[in-house]
Amino acid sequence: MKVEAVGKIQMESIEREKSQEVLKNSISNMKMQNEGVYDQQAINFALKRGEIKEQEIESRVNRLKIYMDKQRELNNIA
């Protein structure tokens, strides 16, 4: 039961982080459209940051899955 609760909390955290990234990206896109000025270096940096953040979130999801599987195994053995 504890494992499921921890997993649910972690997944909610990951989902919040994903939605925050989407919001940041939409705000950034709106600012660029409104200003009409496109700084290519800033755009490239923002894209790279987004890619890294997505990889980090995927990694957290995978680690959580592994953790939950191990905890379930331990609970079944005990």
Side-chain angles (χ1 to χ4, degrees), residues 33-75:
Q33 289 173 355
N34 289 339
E35 293 173 2
V37 176
Y38 297 96
D39 180 0
Q40 191 61 46
Q41 186 176 9
I43 292 170
N44 292 342
F45 178 74
L47 290 172
K48 187 65 176 171
R49 182 184 170 281
E51 289 174 16
I52 292 170
K53 194 65 171 178
E54 286 176 9
Q55 291 171 353
E56 179 185 319
I57 291 170
E58 287 176 28
S59 175
R60 286 178 61 199
V61 168
N62 290 333
R63 287 194 311 265
L64 177 60
K65 287 178 183 176
I66 292 168
Y67 168 79
M68 290 182 67
D69 289 344
K70 288 288 185 187
Q71 290 301 315
R72 285 186 192 114
E73 282 180 30
L74 292 174
N75 287 342

Side-chain angles (χ1 to χ4, degrees), residues 4-18 57 60-62 64-65 68:
E4 301 303 323
V6 169
K8 183 178 178 187
I9 291 168
Q10 290 293 326
M11 285 305 291
E12 288 172 356
S13 171
I14 290 168
E15 289 303 317
R16 275 194 308 274
E17 199 165 318
K18 284 182 182 178
I57 291 170
R60 286 178 61 199
V61 168
N62 290 333
L64 177 60
K65 287 178 183 176
M68 290 182 67

Side-chain angles (χ1 to χ4, degrees), residues 25-40:
N25 288 339
S26 67
I27 290 171
S28 177
N29 288 340
M30 285 177 24
K31 285 182 180 178
M32 286 192 307
Q33 289 173 355
N34 289 339
E35 293 173 2
V37 176
Y38 297 96
D39 180 0
Q40 191 61 46

